């Protein structure tokens, strides 16, 4: 599995890069970005629930003391990331929002060093630099003019933090012995609950009532750009460190640029080409050296994430 982990994470990032193919027609039909994200979370939770019901109901069991892991990955990561990202897109250009979002690998590497004892190696710093530089070029920021509001910058950095927190909280759940499907199910249950609390779904209900809701597109978005990549990423994360996984998943903007060119005739500007090369180079650098055969769980990690014990507080 360790040898396949980078491939699985790369595939996850590639599928996330296809998200725009499904989001665009939904937004064009009248759904807001936050409504699309909320519907995606709810349907994903339902799909994972059905999978657990059919294949292994024991995976529903978690310890009450571990709920913070799933609240973190679902609310502090998925929901918080979406809210920050959508606000940033309203305050700044899409390219600036994309750059700030892809500060996520930096936050993952730093958080993983603090909470899980992952070493900050020269190779990781080099990959981070290449990855961020590539994302800057791919985003096309050098073609834009105008200032960026402080609120937009803070929201964009918040989206990067939220995006990074999925790796951190998922790692905590993995370290406590939870399987991939359990982590994903409760992550999206938490995200769905938060979405229902903060997002107005009345326009979506109206679309469903009058028959204009694009069920096919929504299901493709859910299966191809949500269920599949999160499953691949979480499985891949169990066999490699958080930092390299986050950097490899940054292939997403490269795939998104390519998809825009193929499906929407969006011709990338000149800086985008070397930007793609830089992101892919970061992926290559991370795989030049063989990973350690043992999991990167150190004494600091044991202090930061208490070990789970058997007790009566399971659900």
């Amino acid at each position: 599995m360790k040898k396949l982990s980078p491939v699985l994470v790369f595939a996850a990032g590639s599928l996330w890069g296809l998200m725009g193919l499904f989001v665009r027609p939904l937004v064009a039909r009248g759904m807001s970005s936050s409504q699309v994200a909320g519907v995606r979370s709810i349907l994903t939770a339902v799909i994972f629930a059905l999978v657990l019901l059919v294949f292994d109901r024991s995976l529903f069991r978690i310890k009450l003391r571990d709920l913070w892991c799933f609240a973190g990955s679902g609310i502090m990561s998925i929901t918080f990331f979406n809210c920050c990202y959508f606000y940033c897109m309203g305050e700044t250009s899409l390219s600036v929002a994309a750059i700030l979002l892809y500060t996520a690998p930096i936050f993952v590497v730093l958080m993983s060093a603090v909470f899980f004892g992952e070493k900050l190696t020269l190779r990781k710093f080099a990959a981070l630099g290449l990855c961020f530089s590539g994302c800057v070029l791919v985003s096309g920021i050098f073609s834009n003019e105008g200032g960026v509001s402080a609120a937009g910058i803070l929201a964009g950095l918040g989206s990067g933090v939220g995006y990074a927190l999925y790796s951190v909280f998922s790692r905590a759940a993995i370290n406590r012995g939870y399987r991939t499907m359990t982590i994903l199910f409760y992550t999206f249950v938490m995200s769905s609950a938060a979405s229902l609390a903060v997002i107005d779904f009345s326009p979506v209900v109206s679309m469903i009532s009058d028959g204009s809701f694009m069920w096919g597109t929504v299901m493709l978005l859910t299966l191809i750009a949500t269920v599949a990549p999160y499953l691949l990423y979480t499985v891949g994360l169990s066999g490699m460190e958080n930092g390299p996984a986050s950097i490899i998943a940054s292939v997403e903007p490269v795939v998104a640029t390519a998809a825009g060119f193929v499906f929407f005739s969006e011709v990338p500007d000149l800086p985008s080409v070397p930007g793609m090369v830089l992101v892919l180079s970061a992926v290559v650098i991370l795989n030049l050296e063989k990973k350690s055969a043992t999991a990167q769980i150190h004494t600091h990690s044991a202090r930061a994430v208490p070990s789970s014990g058997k007790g009566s507080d399971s659900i």
Side-chain angles (χ1 to χ4, degrees):
M1 178 57 70
K2 290 182 180 296
K3 292 182 178 180
L4 285 178
S5 290
V7 176
L8 297 178
V9 172
F10 185 89
S14 299
L15 290 177
W16 277 320
L18 299 177
M19 190 179 303
L21 300 181
F22 311 110
V23 172
R24 279 195 173 185
L26 293 173
V27 172
R29 182 60 68 91
M31 292 178 65
S32 69
S33 297
S34 59
Q35 288 165 357
V36 173
V39 169
R40 182 184 59 170
S41 289
I42 293 169
L43 288 178
T44 300
V46 171
I47 290 173
F48 283 133
L50 292 175
V51 171
L52 295 187
L53 281 171
V54 172
F55 293 102
D56 192 348
R57 297 185 182 184
S58 68
L59 295 179
F60 281 116
R61 293 181 61 83
I62 62 172
K63 301 290 185 181
L64 286 175
R65 69 184 67 174
D66 297 334
L67 278 176
W68 65 270
C69 296
F70 309 108
S73 61
I75 299 173
M76 294 180 66
S77 176
I78 303 295
T79 303
F80 176 72
F81 146 64
N82 282 326
C83 290
C84 286
Y85 191 43
F86 298 146
Y87 181 82
C88 182
M89 288 191 290
E91 289 290 310
T92 71
S93 67
L94 293 181
S95 60
V96 171
I99 289 173
L100 295 175
L101 170 63
Y102 279 95
T103 57
I106 297 174
F107 292 120
V108 170
V109 169
L110 296 178
M111 291 178 187
S112 296
V114 173
F115 295 112
F116 300 107
E118 294 185 6
K119 295 180 180 179
L120 293 174
T121 64
L122 181 60
R123 180 167 56 87
K124 286 183 182 178
F125 278 118
L128 281 172
L130 290 173
C131 174
F132 184 70
S133 299
C135 289
V136 168
L137 293 173
V138 169
S139 72
I141 187 174
F142 295 117
S143 301
N144 294 334
E145 297 178 357
V148 179
S149 70
I153 292 176
L154 289 176
L157 291 173
S159 71
V161 172
Y163 198 61
L165 284 173
Y166 180 76
S167 292
V168 174
F169 284 107
S170 293
R171 171 67 65 191
I174 289 171
N175 287 353
R176 296 175 79 83
Y178 290 106
R179 304 262 298 274
T180 297
M181 291 302 300
T182 300
I183 295 170
L184 289 171
F185 170 66
Y186 282 104
T187 290
F188 282 97
V189 164
M190 291 292 185
S191 178
S192 298
S195 296
L196 289 170
V198 302
I199 298 173
D200 178 15
F201 285 103
S202 56
V204 177
V205 174
S206 297
M207 293 173 70
I208 294 175
S209 299
D210 63 25
S212 63
F213 190 70
M214 301 174 67
W215 282 106
T217 304
V218 169
M219 290 308 300
L220 288 174
L221 169 65
T222 302
L223 294 172
I224 295 176
T226 310
V227 173
Y230 273 103
L231 183 60
L232 290 168
Y233 186 81
T234 307
V235 173
L237 190 64
S238 65
M240 65 186 302
E241 291 183 343
N242 288 357
S246 180
I247 296 172
I248 290 174
S250 294
V251 70
E252 178 182 344
V254 178
V255 174
T257 300
F261 173 73
V262 173
F263 294 98
F264 300 110
S265 300
E266 295 177 352
V267 180
D269 55 17
L270 188 59
S272 294
V273 178
M276 293 181 189
V277 173
L278 288 177
V279 173
L280 293 175
S281 297
V283 175
V284 172
I285 285 177
L286 286 172
N287 289 279
L288 286 178
E289 299 179 16
K290 293 186 178 295
K291 304 294 189 300
S292 171
T294 57
Q296 302 298 315
I297 305 174
H298 302 285
T299 303
H300 186 82
S301 172
R303 291 198 299 268
V305 184
S307 60
S308 58
K310 293 183 178 180
S312 60
D313 58 342
S314 61
I315 60 176

